Every structure is written in structure tokens, then in C-alpha cells.
Amino acid sequence: MSRAYYVTTPIYYVNAEAHMGHTYTTVLADSLARYHRLRGDRTFFLTGSDEHGEKILEVARERGEDPAVTSEYFSIRFRETWKELGIGFDRFIRTTDADHVAVVQSILQKVWDDGHIEFREYEGDYCVGCERFLTERDLVDGLCRDHERAPERRSEGNYFFKMSEHFDWLAGYIEDHPDFIRPERYRNEVLSMVKEDSGLGDLCISRPKTRLDWGIELPFDDGYVCYVWFDALINYLTAIGYPDGEDFELLWGASEHLIAKDILKPHAVFWPTMLRAIGLEPARHLNVHGYWNLDDRKVSKSLGNMISPLIMRDKYGFEAFRYFLLRSMSFGIDANFSEDALITRINADLANNLGNLVSRTLNMTGRFADGRVPAPDATGGDDALEQAVQDACAEAVASVDQYVESMEVHRALEALFRAVDATNQYLEKREPWKAAKDPARAASVPTTLYTCCEALRIIALLLSPFLPETAAEILARVGLAGALDSARLPEDAVWGRIPVGGETTKGKPLFPRIDPLEPSQQSQ
Ligand code: MSP
């Protein structure tokens, strides 16, 4: 049955280049989109750039530029970076795009007409880094918890979205839909934001043009522009054709937001209540991950400790970096980055485990099967050892599906590599390199090599959403170049589909072993 899948990343601020934090969320979204495309689902993958607001204006001023010039520059940098890294988004939205501006204004008008917005005087502590007024909970020793800078005291006449009117509904919704916000720890955090007296009230959604004119004008008061978060969140609707695009309802019903915990509140409180006022259901899931840290501090532009995905690509290859990101962060929990950990992971999983299986198998099809996938021996194929490999592959197919569904991609990869382990162990037991020279065992060699080629085919198919180039290369080496173009899960992962006689290629090592770094080689 064909289903739908709509996955979004946050739209990134155009005040810096992409770093590993942005790369993690984007690579994860890319992998999920690829997995669902492989399943035959109607899939849409959205990323983009968040261009309005004071944060961008500040950077433009520092650069002595018009904000339109700065945001255009960084937006193109993000887009080009993702393209260069092979990220297959369906749309790269910019909040300056004409269709987005029109949708934001139509929504503002609608919620204004429906009485969800009110004009008030307001005084509070504003953090330009967060682009919002802070509450007590956001402050540590008087400084913004995330940006480690003092907020500014501000007082203004502004328009407010009457968000708090929806808090009871939101708490009920979260309780009735236990996996709406996942993992659970973030759900509990949000419940306490809206339930207890957390100081979270209504949402100021305007900025007077006298102070900030880089934004979308309010349709009902041309003296103001729209608050950047109210504008930005709506991108998720614009991109799929709100209000009457052909697939809008289908895709919105299948929406999966990916974010890190830094922007939990806007996504878990502002956004569902905004949607309620607009007359739409919340997204299907809000999936929240932790931070990539370096020396226990969040990797971020404001802390100046960014790791560039382009530098990692040049040093280690992007597929290896991509694997590390997806495999080494348990979804929801912070992870620490170090190049030592990256190298250890690449060597253990990719060079030794997967790489060895590929090179041993294909070396031997070259030596013992004329460079072709051999036909399995009719008597050997149902032996318990062969059965164990088949079972391991079938289990990987089921586990990957289950873990992709529950947003535990690290576990999906772990499960997939259990099939790689099982196939390597099988090779160790069958010892085709010895069996070929032993008349009593030589007949088992075609079956052994067939089993390994077929396991590699299934492993590559399952790996393709996560490591697309590696998977395509493995498939090409077992005689199936281009197979991913028309592959489908789960049907193509059924055992026994590899064409016998397909030409195999030994090729270079997929992932050469990397020597551990000297301390002086660690890059920032
Ligand atoms: N523009 C807003 C989002 C608006 S969405 C309607 C924004 N932009 S951002 O450029 O600051 O990106 C924040 C997001 O980048 C995080 O939620 C996460 O997806 C990613 N990451 C940035 N730094 C990160 C880490 N150190 N670790 C993990 N992901 C992080 O907020």
C-alpha cells in the first residue's frame, strides 16, 4: 500500500555556514526520505533558510550589507552545501520566497479576523540570539541559557497571539497522543511548560518597523512586521501548497518534523497552538534530538566551535562522516564529537566489517567463480549455516523498518550491521578460500559465494537510504549497477533475487583503514 511521508528539517538561520549540527538533522531527514521513497511512499523532503528577524539584521550590519544581500549569500551557501553533499531535498524554501510571504500574510489575516490576535503593551527580557522574550527558565545567572549573553530589557506596543487560550487543549492533545512528541523526555518537558505555572503566556508576534523592518509586513497594520518565529514555522505549510495544493492534506497528515532540543518550545507550544488557530491538526510527530557537543559544549555559531561538513568530507569522505553522525547519536540524547571517535567508528564498522565482507566476497568470486555470481548448489542451499544468513537478512529488513518508524536510526544501522556480522561469521565457518582447495569441500564454494553475494545485495539495499553511494557501489560490484533506480522495499529484500551469472567486480577497498590521529592533527 502506498503511504505518504513528509519530513522537514528546521529552516536554518542565514547568519553562518552549515556546521555539523545542521548536517546531522539534514542527513537524518535525507535518509528517512530515501527510505520512504524506497518503500514507494509519496515522499516530500523539505529544508530551507530562515531569513527574517534581528539575528540576520545584526549579521548584515556587521558585514556592512543590506540584510537581503546577507541572507541571499548564506541561503545560497546552505543550498549549495547540501547539493554538494548529495542531499536530495524536494524543496529548499526561503522565507523571502514570494509564495511564503503570501501564505504568512493570509494566515495572519485569518487569525486576526478570527479574534486570535490582540494589541497590548509588553515589557520583558529579549534575547536577540533566540529572537524572543525570555522567561525565568531561560536564564542562568541572568544570561540566556543557550547563547550565554545578557538579554535586553524591552518595552513595546505589540500584537499578541492569544496562545495561552489553547494550553489546556494542547496538554490534552499531548496526553491523548503519547508519541506526538518523541522521545518521551521532551514530551514531559513540554507538558510541564504548558501545565505548570511556567510563566509562558501569550506570544508577541509583531515588531514595530521603527525598530525592525526586515520581515513580513502585518496585513492589518503596516507599521509592524511579523515576529520571525511566527513567519518561520509557517514554512512547513507553504512548501506543500497550503491551503489548497493537490497533496496538501495527504502530506500534512504525514508530517514529521525533525528538530534539536534548542527549538522545542517554538515547535511544541507555539506551532501546535498556531495550527489550532488556523484550523489544522498538529504535525504527525515532533521528533527531537539532542546536541552534538565538542568538549561538552554545543557545537554552534555563537560559541564558535563549528565543525564544517565540507572539511569532514574532504578529510574522510562524506559517506563515512554521514555514517558516523547517524550511527553515533542515540536519537534524543546528546553526543560528543571527536575525530578519534569518528576514526574508530569508520575503521570498525566500515573498513573492517562491511569493507572486508565486500572485498573478501568479491575477491573470491573473481578467483573461484570466473567473476560471476555462481549458482548455489542445490544440496547446499538449505544448510543451517546458509539459513542463519538468510534469517539475519530477514531480521535486518524487519528491524530497519521498525526503527526507522520509531525514529531510532542508530538502532536501524546497528541492526543492519548485525547482518553484516552474521555474513562475515558465515564466511569464517565456510572458509571458501580453504574449501576450494579441498576436494571434499570444494562443492560448497558456489553456494557460499552465492550466499555472500545475495546477503550483500540485501544489505546494500537496506543501507542505501543511509549511505546511498556506498550502497550503489556494492550493488554495482555484484552485477546490479543502477538497481537502486527501480528498487522497492520490502519486496526486493526477499532472499533469492540476485541474478546468477551477474558480473562481479573486485574494485578498490570501499573504506580504507584510517590511521589514528596525532593530537596536532585534530581539526576544528
Ligand atoms: N531558524 C530556526 C529554526 C526555524 S524552524 C521553523 C533555527 N535555526 S538554526 O540555524 O539555529 O538551526 C537550529 C537547528 O540546527 C537545530 O534545531 C538542529 O536541527 C540543528 N543544530 C544546530 N546545532 C546543533 C547541534 N550542536 N547539535 C545538533 N543539532 C543542532 O533555530
Side-chain angles (χ1 to χ4, degrees), residues 289-366:
H289 62 79
Y291 291 153
W292 279 101
N293 291 328
L294 197 66
D295 303 327
D296 294 324
R297 299 178 93 206
K298 182 188 176 200
V299 170
S300 78
K301 140 110 176 148
S302 42
L303 299 179
N305 59 354
M306 288 107 87
I307 304 280
S308 158
L310 297 172
I311 292 177
M312 292 293 113
R313 184 237 1 228
D314 294 345
K315 238 172 140 177
Y316 301 104
F318 192 60
E319 295 252 316
F321 184 56
R322 191 174 158 124
Y323 177 76
F324 170 80
L325 291 177
L326 295 172
R327 177 66 186 83
S328 302
M329 175 173 265
S330 296
F331 195 82
I333 300 171
D334 289 359
N336 213 47
F337 175 77
S338 76
E339 280 187 77
D340 284 338
L342 170 71
I343 291 172
T344 305
R345 180 66 85 184
I346 296 174
N347 283 343
D349 293 6
L350 300 180
N352 292 351
N353 203 355
L354 179 64
N356 265 344
L357 177 62
V358 171
S359 65
R360 290 203 292 181
T361 301
L362 298 171
N363 255 326
M364 286 185 290
T365 53

Side-chain angles (χ1 to χ4, degrees), residues 10-13 19 21-22 25 50 229 232-233 235-236 260 262-263 267 289-292 298-299:
I11 46 172
Y12 303 115
Y13 285 128
H19 61 61
H22 309 123
T25 320
D50 188 357
W229 267 107
L233 288 160
N235 92 88
Y236 301 134
D262 52 345
I263 50 177
H267 281 83
H289 62 79
Y291 291 153
W292 279 101
K298 182 188 176 200
V299 170

Side-chain angles (χ1 to χ4, degrees), residues 197-249:
D197 183 17
S198 63
L200 190 62
D202 291 334
L203 184 65
C204 177
I205 59 152
S206 64
R207 298 291 179 268
K209 276 192 185 168
T210 47
R211 180 158 69 72
L212 175 76
D213 65 355
W214 178 236
I216 298 177
E217 190 176 285
L218 297 189
F220 44 85
D221 188 339
D222 63 8
Y224 286 83
V225 295
C226 179
Y227 168 49
V228 63
W229 267 107
F230 197 92
D231 151 6
L233 288 160
I234 291 172
N235 92 88
Y236 301 134
L237 301 181
T238 308
I240 52 168
Y242 173 85
D244 47 17
E246 203 184 322
D247 281 347
F248 175 74
E249 281 183 22

Side-chain angles (χ1 to χ4, degrees), residues 253-270:
S255 49
E256 299 282 340
H257 293 323
L258 302 184
I259 60 165
K261 61 186 180 182
D262 52 345
I263 50 177
L264 179 61
K265 189 188 289 177
H267 281 83
V269 183
F270 303 176

